Amino acid sequence: MLVHESLWEDQMIDLFPAAIRCGPSALDPHIFIRFLKRSHQERVSSPPELHVLGNTVAPVFNQVTDVTTQVLASSSLESAMSQHIQNITQTIKSSLTLDRRSALLHFLPELSPNCTIGIVPILYPQMDDATQERIFRSRMQKKFGLPLNYPRFLPSLHVPCCVPRNSLDNLHMMLPPLQDFLVCRVQGPFTYHHYGCGVNDIGWGCAYRSLQTIASWLIGQGVVSGSVPSHLEIQQTLIQAKDKPNNFLNSTQWIGAVEVGLFLHFRYSVEYKLLSVRSGDQIDTVVPDLIAHFSGGGAPVMIGGGVLAYTLLGVAIPLGSMDVTKAQFLILDPHYVGPSDTRTIISQGWFGWRNRAIFHSDAFYNFCVPLIPSRV
C-alpha cells in the first residue's frame, strides 16, 4: 500500500494547499523559483503580490516567506534556496510524524520550459519493488499536471538542502524566460562540462565535453547508471566498438557526432539519430525535428561541424509566425576556460540563446540526437 501517498494527501493538504492544487496557472505561495529569482535580482525588501487561485495562505506560509525575503535581500540565489529548503524542511518535520523508512525529499519539476511549479516537498517511501515505485512516481506526476514522458520525482533528482555556490548544474534554470517565443528545451538536471575540467583538453576535447554533458543528463534522469565517462573511458569504448585503432588511446585526437552516437549506443545501449546539413545556410531544415525532440522531453544534442562542437539544449521559434528562419538555439559552449562561475559563463556568452548566425555557411553540421523512450 502506498501509505505515504495517503499521508501526503491527508496531512499535507492543509500545509500545502496550493502545491496540491497547482496547475498551469497556479504557483506555490512560498516556494517557487521565479519568485526567488525575481526577488533576488531586484533586491526587493518585500515579496510581490502572490496569486494563488483564491487559496488562503496558511500562517506557516507567511512565516517561511518572511524568513526567505530577509535572506534574499542580502544573499545569493543559491544561499536563499538553501535557506528556504531548510526552513520548509523544519516546518514539515515539526508538523508531521515521519516514518523511519521514509525520506523527506525536495524536487524542482518543470511544468514547461519557462515555468517551474516550485520546490515540491514529498515524503518519499522506501520501496524495494521497482514497479511500485514507478506507480508512485506516475501518480505524483499526474497530481501535479506533469506529462509522463520522463521522470520528475526519481530520488536521484531531488534538490539537496545545501545548493553549492558556483555549481555547473542546471544552468538552464538561471536564464531569464525568452519572451514571445515558443520554447522547447531540455528539462531535468545536467552538468556543464567544458575545457580544462580535470584534463587539459584545450584545442581537441570539445566533443568529449559535449558527450560528458549528455551523459550527465542520462545519469540524472535514471536512464543509465554510473558516473560521467572520462576522456580515457570514451576512447577505450570507441576502441572496443572497433571504431578506432589501439593508438587512439591516450591521444588528443578529436571525435565528432558520429563517435558520440557510437559511444551512446555501445556503452549505454541508447539509440540515436544523426541530422545533417551540408551548410549552415540549411540549418532551418532541421529545426522542426529539434522542436519535436525537445518538446518530447529529449536529451541534450551534440552538434559537430567544421572544427567546433557545441551542446544544444533547446530551440525556440517566434510565437504567432512560427518562422523557423528566426529560430533561436540554446547553445552550451564547451570551449569555455575559466572558473566554475555561472554568472561569468552566462554573462560572457558561453551559455545562452543564439540566432542562426552561429552556423557558418561554409561548414557542414551533424546533430547527434539521443533517442530516449518515454518513461516515469
Side-chain angles (χ1 to χ4, degrees):
M1 292 180 60
L2 299 179
V3 294
H4 292 77
E5 183 177 348
S6 176
L7 175 65
W8 168 273
E9 293 177 354
D10 295 337
Q11 290 188 260
M12 290 184 116
I13 193 166
D14 293 331
L15 193 60
F16 299 102
I20 292 296
R21 300 184 178 90
C22 75
S25 300
L27 291 174
D28 186 313
H30 67 298
I31 40 176
F32 55 92
I33 292 304
R34 282 187 170 180
F35 164 63
L36 288 177
K37 284 183 177 179
R38 186 166 65 254
S39 298
H40 177 66
Q41 291 167 353
E42 298 177 1
R43 294 293 196 274
V44 295
S45 58
S46 59
E49 183 180 359
L50 301 178
H51 299 276
V52 199
L53 297 183
N55 291 328
T56 301
V57 179
V60 65
F61 291 164
N62 292 330
Q63 295 171 12
V64 177
T65 302
D66 288 344
V67 173
T68 302
T69 302
Q70 295 171 13
V71 174
L72 285 169
S74 58
S75 303
S76 68
L77 174 61
E78 294 88 349
S79 298
M81 288 178 63
S82 297
Q83 183 65 55
H84 207 81
I85 293 176
Q86 292 169 10
N87 292 340
I88 195 58
T89 298
Q90 186 59 42
T91 301
I92 295 174
K93 286 183 176 180
S94 64
S95 303
L96 300 175
T97 301
L98 301 182
D99 189 301
R100 290 182 180 180
R101 288 170 50 87
S102 64
L104 183 61
L105 302 180
H106 300 82
F107 298 86
L108 189 61
E110 293 181 88
L111 189 61
S112 65
N114 281 341
C115 179
T116 136
I117 59 177
I119 301 175
V120 177
I122 289 183
L123 194 59
Y124 213 102
Q126 179 180 330
M127 292 175 283
D128 299 324
D129 183 82
T131 300
Q132 189 181 40
E133 186 174 339
R134 283 195 297 271
I135 293 173
F136 176 81
R137 293 199 303 265
S138 176
R139 296 192 66 174
M140 287 295 98
Q141 289 188 200
K142 289 178 181 178
K143 182 181 295 295
F144 285 92
L146 297 167
L148 302 180
N149 53 354
Y150 71 91
R152 269 76 163 186
F153 296 126
L154 279 172
S156 60
L157 300 182
H158 80 279
V159 181
C161 288
C162 295
V163 182
R165 182 182 295 275
N166 297 330
S167 169
L168 294 182
D169 295 338
N170 309 322
L171 293 183
H172 60 314
M173 301 298 292
M174 303 297 292
L175 289 179
L178 191 61
Q179 301 295 336
D180 301 321
F181 276 81
L182 171 64
V183 176
C184 302
R185 66 154 171 76
V186 69
Q187 299 183 54
F190 66 88
T191 302
Y192 175 33
H193 290 264
H194 61 81
Y195 273 170
C197 290
V199 174
N200 183 6
D201 57 348
I202 298 173
W204 61 273
C206 51
Y208 292 81
R209 297 302 185 177
S210 182
L211 174 52
Q212 289 176 330
T213 296
I214 293 173
S216 73
W217 186 90
L218 294 172
I219 294 168
Q221 291 296 307
V223 176
V224 302
S225 58
S227 58
V228 172
S230 66
H231 292 55
L232 187 62
E233 289 173 319
I234 294 171
Q235 292 176 343
Q236 288 173 330
T237 299
L238 292 176
I239 293 172
Q240 292 168 2
K242 308 298 183 183
D243 179 67
K244 299 294 182 184
N246 290 337
N247 62 6
F248 179 63
L249 192 65
N250 286 316
S251 72
T252 58
Q253 294 182 36
W254 298 354
I255 61 174
V258 173
E259 288 88 350
V260 168
L262 286 173
F263 177 91
L264 293 175
H265 178 70
F266 193 84
R267 177 70 173 266
Y268 296 139
S269 298
V270 168
E271 298 298 326
Y272 68 96
K273 67 178 178 180
L274 291 176
L275 302 176
S276 301
V277 294
R278 296 180 179 178
S279 165
D281 293 336
Q282 301 174 343
I283 206 69
D284 308 333
T285 61
V286 298
V287 170
D289 287 312
L290 294 172
I291 289 175
H293 171 73
F294 287 113
S295 63
V301 171
M302 182 269 180
I303 306 175
V307 296
L308 298 175
Y310 297 107
T311 308
L312 180 67
L313 297 180
V315 178
I317 53 177
L319 289 172
S321 68
M322 308 295 278
D323 186 352
V324 296
T325 65
K326 296 180 180 178
Q328 298 283 313
F329 302 86
L330 188 56
I331 299 293
L332 187 64
D333 192 337
H335 302 90
Y336 170 71
V337 180
S340 299
D341 183 81
T342 56
R343 292 168 180 81
T344 299
I345 291 167
I346 294 174
S347 65
Q348 292 185 359
W350 297 101
F351 175 58
W353 291 100
R354 307 283 291 274
N355 60 31
R356 67 198 307 272
I358 193 175
F359 300 103
H360 299 166
S361 60
D362 59 350
F364 71 92
Y365 293 93
N366 291 321
F367 295 74
C368 179
V369 183
L371 303 177
I372 311 299
S374 297
R375 71 246 178 260
V376 293

